[in-house]
Amino acid sequence: MAKGSVRKKGKKWYYRFYVEDESGRLVQKEYAGTESKSETEALLRKAMEDYESKKFIAKSENVVLGDLLDMWIEEEVKPGNLSNGTVMAYQGTVSRIKADPIGKRKLKSITSDHLQSYMDLLSFGDADNKALSKGYMRLFSAVLQGAFRFAVFPKRLITFNPMQYVVRRSKKEEYELFEDENSNISSQVITHDKYLRLTDYLEKKKNPALLPIQIAYYTGLRIGEVCGLTWQDINLDEQYLTVRRSIRYNGVRHKTEIGTTKRSKIRTVDFCDTLAEILKDAKKEQQKNLLKYSELYTCNYYKIVREKDRTYYEVYTLPQSDEQPEDYKEISFVCTQTDGRFESSSAVEQTCRSMRKKLKGFENFHFHQFRHTYTSNLLSGCAAPKDVQELLGHADVSTTMNIYAHASKETKRSSARLLDKVVGSD
């Protein structure tokens, strides 16, 4: 056990003890305590215990939580193997934490109680803050866990991770015991009639979000996957498409980027005759628009950018008359606007939001419902759950079944009525 002592200088007490330097020699280190001798002696005992167990002295000094989060992003997250999408999500979360008062608190003063209160605020919300979903809570927890672990080692700014004592708590689900059965049902499935109403409306308005919505309805692709499709991904003869990439706007870098899919997996999805005809018509329409706009037609490109061992694929557009820069590579997106410019996922989402106000019965509408609908239709048609999982690109089949267990009321009725057949056979 290292030997230590305390001494008074002016009004303040200081504590010191011997530690090994990098060459293995014993050197004496002194640290400021308080104006109380007993409190300073307690600090000495704690510092010596920490040193004996971890063999280093914390050096947080004036580092605040926001500083730590920035260091963690630059020194551990960016050089790591995480996808660009995950890095972007972590950076967005870090910005939100830094905007909160806890982001300005000194690292050495943050306790598990502070972090628990912050996580509870995120989970339950208050008069000024809306409660976050479980998905966002997992994201905030992952960021804080990782950053504080990084602060302990390799940065050695603190001697233990206060997040290890924090638990994620959430509200208990409540429901009205005597509410009318049909008074507050929000369906995650789009009926075919509603789908036709939506597509008819968009077609009349010549809205470029029409094609992404049609593709999603018949394939279950995520919004970024739909907008990232190129004509090279579509096999119209054998009627299947290959999902290789996703397109999204990086709010941290302020760039539209092409990246991997959510699971970083390439998958193929077969499609029906109806979608085959839709895609053939879309391809012909693009050719007509190319002739119509001529030199004013917009070409889409991607550019490879490397930053700190991380590669980004940025998306750019130029009129056909402009000379193509050497580092630009042309890409033929399936979903484009009339003038050839790619249809972004944010533009499609904006259309979906506007439909909530413009179309009756679409008050809770969002793009992801097409994914629910596609799965519901397949499961209702007795498709094998394992096949549905692979078509959707889920990590495992339990995800597919857990999320879409509510597939349709009619399917549940049919399953329940199987009991009549069993009883009748006795």
Side-chain angles (χ1 to χ4, degrees):
M1 182 76 175
K3 293 182 178 180
S5 60
V6 298
R7 65 172 177 165
K8 191 174 185 180
K9 290 193 292 184
K11 293 183 179 181
K12 205 168 190 178
W13 286 84
Y14 290 76
Y15 63 93
R16 56 187 178 176
F17 60 100
Y18 285 92
V19 299
E20 287 186 5
D21 64 13
E22 294 180 356
S23 65
R25 294 176 301 180
L26 285 176
V27 295
Q28 192 176 67
K29 296 285 185 179
E30 186 170 71
Y31 304 91
T34 69
E35 293 184 3
S36 165
K37 182 179 180 181
S38 60
E39 288 178 358
T40 304
E41 287 175 335
L43 289 173
L44 169 65
R45 287 192 295 272
K46 185 178 185 306
M48 291 172 63
E49 289 171 3
D50 284 339
Y51 176 74
E52 287 299 319
S53 61
K54 300 179 178 66
K55 294 301 179 186
F56 74 87
I57 305 298
K59 299 178 290 185
S60 62
E61 299 173 352
N62 293 320
V63 175
V64 299
L65 176 56
D67 297 332
L68 167 66
L69 292 169
D70 287 338
M71 282 189 282
W72 177 65
I73 289 290
E74 293 298 324
E75 298 178 31
E76 182 164 292
V77 174
K78 284 186 178 179
N81 297 321
L82 296 172
S83 71
N84 289 345
T86 301
V87 172
M88 182 179 70
Y90 282 178
Q91 288 176 305
T93 304
V94 163
S95 296
R96 294 181 66 174
I97 296 173
K98 288 171 64 177
D100 188 89
I102 198 170
K104 300 173 181 61
R105 181 177 282 275
K106 288 185 178 180
L107 203 58
K108 62 183 180 182
S109 70
I110 294 180
T111 66
S112 296
D113 287 339
H114 293 132
L115 294 169
Q116 185 68 66
S117 296
Y118 178 63
M119 292 295 286
D120 286 348
L121 173 64
L122 296 176
S123 184
F124 298 114
D126 61 13
D128 301 316
N129 301 279
K130 185 179 179 182
L132 297 185
S133 66
K134 290 181 180 179
Y136 275 115
M137 288 303 301
R138 284 193 292 269
L139 190 57
F140 274 81
S141 179
V143 166
L144 290 170
Q145 287 281 8
F148 277 103
R149 178 200 51 73
F150 172 76
V152 175
F153 189 84
K155 298 308 289 185
R156 299 186 174 186
L157 296 173
I158 52 178
T159 57
F160 78 101
N161 180 355
M163 273 298 292
Q164 66 184 308
Y165 303 109
V166 176
V167 296
R168 288 208 309 267
R169 296 193 276 246
S170 58
K171 287 183 179 179
K172 292 182 180 179
E173 291 189 7
E174 298 179 356
Y175 58 91
E176 178 57 54
L177 291 176
F178 300 102
E179 190 173 19
D180 179 65
E181 180 184 2
N182 298 311
S183 62
N184 190 29
I185 296 175
S186 109
S187 174
Q188 293 295 312
V189 175
I190 302 290
T191 65
H192 193 64
D193 286 342
K194 285 184 70 174
Y195 163 76
L196 292 176
R197 276 208 299 130
L198 176 62
T199 54
D200 286 346
Y201 178 88
L202 294 174
E203 191 168 10
K204 289 174 183 176
K205 296 290 183 179
K206 298 188 183 302
N207 192 306
L210 172 63
L211 184 58
I213 282 173
Q214 290 172 320
I215 294 173
Y217 181 78
Y218 288 108
T219 63
L221 268 61
R222 301 177 179 93
I223 188 169
E225 295 171 342
V226 172
C227 294
L229 285 174
T230 69
W231 286 112
Q232 288 73 30
D233 301 321
I234 309 291
N235 189 320
L236 289 170
D237 294 327
E238 298 183 33
Q239 294 186 192
Y240 71 86
L241 56 83
T242 305
V243 186
R244 303 176 184 275
R245 68 193 74 78
S246 180
I247 190 170
R248 57 182 164 262
Y249 181 75
N250 188 326
V252 178
R253 299 182 71 247
H254 304 292
K255 299 287 184 182
T256 298
E257 299 171 352
I258 298 171
T260 61
T261 61
K262 187 174 182 180
R263 300 294 173 193
S264 300
K265 301 278 187 180
I266 296 175
R267 69 185 192 276
T268 58
V269 179
D270 294 292
F271 54 81
C272 60
D273 294 340
T274 303
L275 182 57
E277 291 304 315
I278 290 171
L279 290 170
K280 288 175 183 176
D281 290 342
K283 196 167 189 179
K284 290 176 185 176
E285 188 65 23
Q286 278 191 13
Q287 293 300 318
K288 289 179 183 178
N289 288 331
L290 175 58
L291 296 173
K292 177 182 176 181
Y293 282 83
S294 186
E295 291 184 350
L296 296 177
Y297 193 76
T298 302
C299 294
N300 300 295
Y301 302 92
Y302 71 90
K303 174 184 174 182
I304 301 174
V305 178
R306 291 182 173 87
E307 294 178 0
K308 294 187 177 180
D309 300 323
R310 189 161 290 279
T311 302
Y312 299 95
Y313 299 85
E314 299 175 349
V315 182
Y316 293 94
T317 59
L318 289 173
Q320 188 172 242
S321 57
D322 285 14
E323 184 178 349
Q324 178 180 336
E326 289 185 5
D327 55 352
Y328 277 31
K329 300 180 188 297
E330 191 167 359
I331 185 168
S332 56
F333 287 113
V334 172
C335 299
T336 60
Q337 299 175 26
T338 308
D339 65 354
R341 184 184 300 272
F342 70 93
E343 178 70 348
S344 68
S345 54
S346 57
V348 178
E349 286 180 329
Q350 177 58 43
T351 297
C352 292
R353 285 194 291 271
S354 68
M355 292 302 97
R356 297 174 194 168
K357 298 178 181 178
K358 294 180 179 179
L359 286 180
K360 186 177 180 181
F362 283 81
E363 290 76 15
N364 298 312
F365 171 64
H366 54 83
F367 189 91
H368 203 71
Q369 284 179 313
F370 294 117
R371 195 163 164 82
H372 290 251
T373 301
Y374 175 75
T375 310
S376 171
N377 290 339
L378 290 180
L379 293 175
S380 299
C382 299
K386 186 67 178 176
D387 293 339
V388 179
Q389 173 219 333
E390 292 177 358
L391 288 168
L392 291 166
H394 282 153
D396 55 69
V397 73
S398 64
T399 303
T400 308
M401 300 312 294
N402 287 340
I403 294 176
Y404 302 106
H406 61 283
S408 75
K409 188 178 289 187
E410 190 56 42
T411 303
K412 292 178 182 178
R413 282 202 188 103
S414 299
S415 299
R417 287 167 184 164
L418 289 174
L419 292 174
D420 290 332
K421 296 179 181 179
V422 173
V423 174
S425 63
D426 289 343

